[in-house]
Amino acid sequence: MKGDAAPSLKILPLRRTSAINHFLSSTPVSVFIYCLIVSCILYSSFRGAQSMGYNWQWYQIPKYIYSYTDEGFQFGELMLGLWTTITLSFTAFFLALIIGFWVALLRLSGLFIGTKIAICFLEFVRNVPLLVLVYLFYYVLGPVFKYDRYTASILCLAVYHSALISEILRAGINAVVQGQWEAAKSIGMSKMQTYIYIILPQSVRFLLPPMTGEVVHMVKSSAIVSVIAVAELTTLGQNIISDTYMAFEIWFTIAIIYMIVIMILSIGASQVEKRYTVTN
Amino acid sequence: MSIESPIIKFQNVDKFYGEFQALKDISIEVQPSERMVICGPSGSGKSTLIRCINGLENHNYGQIIVNGIELFEGSKELIRLRQEIGMVFQQFNLFPHLTVLENLTIGPIKVRKISKVQAEIVARKYLDRVHIPEQAEKYPSELSGGQQQRVAIARSLCMESKILLFDEPTSALDPEMINEVLDVMVELADTGMTMVCVTHEMGFARKVADTMVFMDEGRIIEVAPPDKFFSKPDSVRCREFLDQILEH
């Protein structure tokens, strides 16, 4: 074994690059580089806008976020859009959880037909682009089942994400050791009771990280329903732009609003995650 | 023992895992209050046998009747029957997300629909019986292996079962913890509980067993009371096996 150790010491060049890496990854240097890159992007877009004679109107933006008039405080259009985005995303997520749970159960049921149905569903949803799914739910299923665009968008997002969620659930359920099933069975629990009291509570810590990823993904992919003109953040942004031609300001603002919302969600998620790792 | 009908009865039971036959033509009876110890080399089918008793494994041929109920795959009675059969596993299988007390009460509360207060009184009684009343509020991961196994025993007792099954309860324990678990099992044996125990602890077997069973390659080779079993077993294989494990 000692003979093996000697050649590994010869990898000196690596150590040199790692010194550079060390320098580059130190906090002040990376903050500097980050600021440099961001300011480059901002500057070039600003210059680009200048050269095409873009008329910046940042002062117009606040009124789309909130206004304070004689009638009191009021949320602007973008905030109303954000509210729709949030309610839409969370309703769809809740629905997706329910569908995903049943699909996962079907998949794990061990019943031949159940497994096949679940796999067909998963393959269909996963191999169709989300945009096509939106059109399908609004232009095809909408008239057939007579629901409005808001319902169509919720159903579409829920179905799309339920496929991903069911896979996450399945992985989380499988991650709980077999002995837990046997112990629960041996004290006379039914399959449902075992899921509710024994398996799912233990799956939570396997599920939370990818699930929070799904919530974030859901909020982001909810923007796509702007193609069927559901009045959420992106749609309202488009509407404002077509009225005012402030494309740069509005898109920047919308990007920042999405970013803030998603960062808050991520922070909340990591808090929950911490709490669940402690007990185990 | 008595003229009562057997509480567990296997009749010509076969069990396959794919091509592999784990149980071959098993016929055996356990009377109420009987204490049976099953031993044999690893892979001899003793765990499979004991897991068939509460339907954790389904047999393929033959008949298994436990507490007057015939077992078959997908039986609706199985869930009710399992309430009458406690099982202690090699790997303890405590619920890690619940405290010791919750581990003991979840079965009675959710399955037997007993009130929480009542269930906790029972649970504390049995924690006392396994000599760890002070650990009630802890999580399983905070306990030693021996303590965890005693909690697992208490969990089976809390269901007020008629039959207790032990599947190598001391095999996963550090040597110094084996005795604390065996002591509890000996005390249990004295209460007149029906026990079926897969174990290699021959000292324990000698002390409590009414019947010794030796299995090899999926067959029951020898069934005898302990005096005869340890002194002059009929089969050669059983003799060899005993020589091997009693050497130390």
Side-chain angles (χ1 to χ4, degrees):
Chain A
M1 288 309 279
K2 274 189 177 171
D4 293 346
S8 70
L9 285 176
K10 281 186 187 162
I11 315 173
L12 276 176
L14 254 186
R15 287 189 66 190
R16 215 174 266 167
T17 50
S18 81
I20 293 169
N21 273 345
H22 189 72
F23 173 72
L24 286 179
S25 58
S26 71
T27 315
V29 176
S30 38
V31 167
F32 174 74
I33 293 173
Y34 181 72
C35 290
L36 195 72
I37 293 170
V38 170
S39 52
C40 276
I41 294 169
L42 288 180
Y43 179 72
S44 58
S45 57
F46 180 71
R47 279 301 299 272
Q50 281 307 63
S51 68
M52 53 187 269
Y54 190 82
N55 178 22
W56 290 97
Q57 305 178 59
W58 280 108
Y59 66 91
Q60 296 262 30
I61 296 300
K63 74 169 181 232
Y64 293 114
I65 296 173
Y66 69 93
S67 57
Y68 200 81
T69 57
D70 298 339
E71 291 155 38
F73 182 85
Q74 272 183 322
F75 282 116
E77 269 182 81
L78 287 183
M79 287 298 110
L80 298 179
L82 175 63
W83 179 242
T84 310
T85 290
I86 290 173
T87 48
L88 180 78
S89 308
F90 279 88
T91 318
F93 186 77
F94 186 68
L95 203 58
L97 264 184
I98 297 172
I99 303 173
F101 182 64
W102 287 106
V103 174
L105 285 191
L106 264 184
R107 185 93 196 262
L108 292 168
S109 65
L111 300 170
F112 180 76
I113 295 190
T115 318
K116 285 285 174 275
I117 291 175
I119 289 176
C120 283
F121 174 78
L122 289 178
E123 290 306 321
F124 174 72
V125 173
R126 273 194 301 203
N127 296 314
V128 173
L130 179 53
L131 187 56
V132 175
L133 217 56
V134 174
Y135 287 142
L136 195 66
F137 268 87
Y138 184 54
Y139 292 114
V140 180
L141 299 179
V144 174
F145 294 102
K146 304 213 176 0
Y147 51 69
D148 60 356
R149 55 187 78 223
Y150 187 71
T151 316
S153 60
I154 286 179
L155 287 179
C156 169
L157 288 172
V159 164
Y160 181 71
H161 284 266
S162 70
L164 307 165
I165 285 174
S166 82
E167 288 295 276
I168 294 173
L169 281 169
R170 192 168 68 97
I173 287 168
N174 280 338
V176 177
V177 292
Q178 194 58 30
Q180 294 292 310
W181 279 101
E182 294 180 353
K185 272 187 192 172
S186 76
I187 57 171
M189 282 194 175
S190 67
K191 215 166 180 183
M192 235 338 147
Q193 286 175 322
T194 309
Y195 269 121
I196 294 171
Y197 302 117
I198 308 300
I199 304 298
L200 288 178
Q202 293 186 61
S203 306
V204 168
R205 72 203 157 102
F206 302 111
L207 295 177
L208 267 184
M211 267 317 174
T212 52
E214 274 306 301
V215 176
V216 169
H217 190 180
M218 177 72 93
V219 174
K220 286 194 282 188
S221 57
S222 72
I224 206 163
V225 303
S226 61
V227 299
I228 55 170
V230 174
E232 47 72 70
L233 186 53
T234 309
T235 311
L236 288 183
Q238 278 174 334
N239 292 349
I240 296 170
I241 291 166
S242 56
D243 287 347
T244 63
Y245 299 105
M246 297 191 297
F248 281 40
E249 295 91 330
I250 295 290
W251 285 133
F252 270 126
T253 311
I254 286 177
I256 288 168
I257 293 174
Y258 273 118
M259 204 179 81
I260 291 172
V261 169
I262 286 165
M263 272 168 64
I264 292 171
L265 284 177
S266 306
I267 292 168
S270 63
Q271 292 300 320
V272 179
E273 213 175 296
K274 263 184 213 156
R275 240 194 55 201
Y276 271 91
T277 37
V278 171
T279 53
N280 247 290
Chain B
M1 298 266 305
S2 63
I3 31 172
E4 276 178 276
S5 61
I7 194 162
I8 302 170
K9 186 176 179 187
F10 278 56
Q11 207 160 29
N12 309 105
V13 171
D14 288 331
K15 160 79 187 165
F16 292 86
Y17 292 110
E19 291 286 294
F20 177 74
Q21 188 168 6
L23 296 181
K24 296 172 186 162
D25 196 26
I26 299 287
S27 295
I28 198 166
E29 287 182 0
V30 182
Q31 305 299 327
S33 297
E34 183 175 350
R35 299 179 293 259
M36 177 180 282
V37 171
I38 305 173
C39 60
S42 57
S44 60
K46 48 197 194 309
S47 280
T48 309
L49 172 68
I50 201 170
R51 288 158 62 87
C52 278
I53 297 175
N54 67 349
L56 286 183
E57 304 284 353
N58 295 303
H59 58 293
N60 301 103
Y61 301 102
Q63 196 181 35
I64 301 178
I65 298 172
V66 180
N67 203 22
I69 296 171
E70 181 173 358
L71 301 190
F72 53 89
E73 192 166 356
S75 164
K76 290 215 161 38
E77 307 238 48
L78 199 53
I79 284 180
R80 202 167 56 75
L81 178 62
R82 281 187 185 133
Q83 297 174 25
E84 309 296 332
I85 310 172
M87 182 149 193
V88 176
F89 299 88
Q90 185 177 355
Q91 300 294 342
F92 327 139
N93 294 351
L94 293 175
F95 306 129
H97 61 299
L98 301 177
T99 64
V100 166
L101 197 62
E102 288 165 341
N103 261 282
L104 300 193
T105 54
I106 192 162
I109 293 173
K110 303 298 178 193
V111 179
R112 285 210 188 269
K113 313 285 181 201
I114 291 169
S115 77
K116 189 166 180 245
V117 181
Q118 188 61 35
E120 284 187 2
I121 293 171
V122 175
R124 286 187 193 278
K125 180 179 92 183
Y126 285 117
L127 273 184
D128 236 14
R129 169 101 52 101
V130 299
H131 314 301
I132 37 175
E134 70 285 357
Q135 313 285 4
E137 315 302 332
K138 288 193 182 167
Y139 284 91
S141 55
E142 298 171 88
L143 306 182
S144 72
Q147 290 172 329
Q148 289 191 43
Q149 192 60 299
R150 285 186 281 154
V151 172
I153 293 172
R155 178 173 67 183
S156 314
L157 293 173
C158 280
M159 290 303 289
E160 311 277 5
S161 322
K162 290 183 183 162
I163 306 168
L164 264 188
L165 309 177
F166 293 86
D167 188 3
E168 306 207 28
T170 56
S171 301
L173 292 175
D174 291 335
E176 75 270 21
M177 292 171 184
I178 290 177
N179 278 333
E180 62 185 63
V181 172
L182 290 180
D183 288 345
V184 168
M185 290 167 64
V186 172
E187 287 168 30
L188 273 181
D190 293 339
T191 64
M193 174 91 72
T194 309
M195 287 166 74
V196 179
C197 187
V198 171
T199 185
H200 290 156
E201 296 297 331
M202 288 304 139
F204 164 78
R206 238 189 263 260
K207 214 179 286 176
V208 306
D210 297 314
T211 313
M212 291 297 302
V213 173
F214 175 74
M215 286 185 72
D216 193 21
E217 293 179 351
R219 285 182 203 284
I220 290 181
I221 306 288
E222 181 106 24
V223 180
D227 331 333
K228 177 166 182 292
F229 185 85
F230 287 108
S231 55
K232 42 180 192 312
D234 292 330
S235 72
V236 183
R237 263 187 288 177
C238 184
R239 178 76 268 163
E240 286 170 358
F241 176 77
L242 286 175
D243 283 346
Q244 254 169 11
I245 62 169
L246 293 178
E247 244 169 39
H248 309 289

